[in-house]
PDB file of all heavy atoms in Angstrom:
ATOM      1  N   LYS A  34     -65.627 163.370 -50.726  1.00 98.00           N
ATOM      2  CA  LYS A  34     -64.820 164.592 -50.643  1.00 98.00           C
ATOM      3  C   LYS A  34     -64.414 164.766 -49.167  1.00 98.00           C
ATOM      4  O   LYS A  34     -63.281 165.091 -48.857  1.00 98.00           O
ATOM      5  CB  LYS A  34     -65.707 165.773 -51.036  1.00 98.00           C
ATOM      6  CG  LYS A  34     -66.011 165.922 -52.466  1.00 98.00           C
ATOM      7  CD  LYS A  34     -66.882 167.085 -52.792  1.00 98.00           C
ATOM      8  CE  LYS A  34     -68.311 166.968 -52.303  1.00 98.00           C
ATOM      9  NZ  LYS A  34     -69.086 165.882 -52.836  1.00 98.00           N
ATOM     10  N   THR A  35     -65.419 164.673 -48.225  1.00 98.00           N
ATOM     11  CA  THR A  35     -65.091 164.961 -46.871  1.00 98.00           C
ATOM     12  C   THR A  35     -64.066 163.876 -46.317  1.00 98.00           C
ATOM     13  O   THR A  35     -63.077 164.179 -45.673  1.00 98.00           O
ATOM     14  CB  THR A  35     -66.340 164.952 -45.989  1.00 98.00           C
ATOM     15  OG1 THR A  35     -67.227 165.988 -46.534  1.00 98.00           O
ATOM     16  CG2 THR A  35     -66.109 165.252 -44.565  1.00 98.00           C
ATOM     17  N   ASP A  58     -68.241 173.365 -46.578  1.00 97.00           N
ATOM     18  CA  ASP A  58     -69.557 172.882 -46.919  1.00 97.00           C
ATOM     19  C   ASP A  58     -70.535 173.264 -45.827  1.00 97.00           C
ATOM     20  O   ASP A  58     -70.332 173.009 -44.674  1.00 97.00           O
ATOM     21  CB  ASP A  58     -69.485 171.301 -46.976  1.00 97.00           C
ATOM     22  CG  ASP A  58     -70.874 170.736 -47.362  1.00 97.00           C
ATOM     23  OD1 ASP A  58     -71.835 171.451 -47.474  1.00 97.00           O
ATOM     24  OD2 ASP A  58     -70.877 169.504 -47.582  1.00 97.00           O
ATOM     25  N   HIS A  62     -70.325 168.536 -42.496  1.00 97.00           N
ATOM     26  CA  HIS A  62     -70.119 167.134 -42.204  1.00 97.00           C
ATOM     27  C   HIS A  62     -68.695 166.916 -41.627  1.00 97.00           C
ATOM     28  O   HIS A  62     -68.482 166.185 -40.686  1.00 97.00           O
ATOM     29  CB  HIS A  62     -70.201 166.334 -43.493  1.00 97.00           C
ATOM     30  CG  HIS A  62     -71.601 166.149 -43.968  1.00 97.00           C
ATOM     31  ND1 HIS A  62     -71.931 165.825 -45.241  1.00 97.00           N
ATOM     32  CD2 HIS A  62     -72.758 166.293 -43.299  1.00 97.00           C
ATOM     33  CE1 HIS A  62     -73.248 165.761 -45.346  1.00 97.00           C
ATOM     34  NE2 HIS A  62     -73.773 166.030 -44.146  1.00 97.00           N
ATOM     35  N   ASP A 153     -62.436 171.273 -48.120  1.00 98.00           N
ATOM     36  CA  ASP A 153     -63.509 170.268 -48.346  1.00 98.00           C
ATOM     37  C   ASP A 153     -64.692 171.018 -48.897  1.00 98.00           C
ATOM     38  O   ASP A 153     -65.352 171.742 -48.167  1.00 98.00           O
ATOM     39  CB  ASP A 153     -63.839 169.539 -47.033  1.00 98.00           C
ATOM     40  CG  ASP A 153     -64.994 168.593 -47.181  1.00 98.00           C
ATOM     41  OD1 ASP A 153     -65.278 168.117 -48.354  1.00 98.00           O
ATOM     42  OD2 ASP A 153     -65.748 168.340 -46.210  1.00 98.00           O
ATOM     43  N   CYS A 154     -64.975 170.848 -50.220  1.00 98.00           N
ATOM     44  CA  CYS A 154     -65.951 171.708 -50.861  1.00 98.00           C
ATOM     45  C   CYS A 154     -67.363 171.185 -50.712  1.00 98.00           C
ATOM     46  O   CYS A 154     -67.572 169.941 -50.533  1.00 98.00           O
ATOM     47  CB  CYS A 154     -65.607 171.795 -52.349  1.00 98.00           C
ATOM     48  SG  CYS A 154     -64.158 172.889 -52.659  1.00 98.00           S
TER      49      CYS A 154
HETATM   50 MG1   MG B   2     -68.830 166.290 -47.756  1.00 63.81          MG
END
Side-chain angles (χ1 to χ4, degrees):
K34 289 179 291 298
T35 301
D58 181 355
H62 289 157
D153 176 25
C154 286

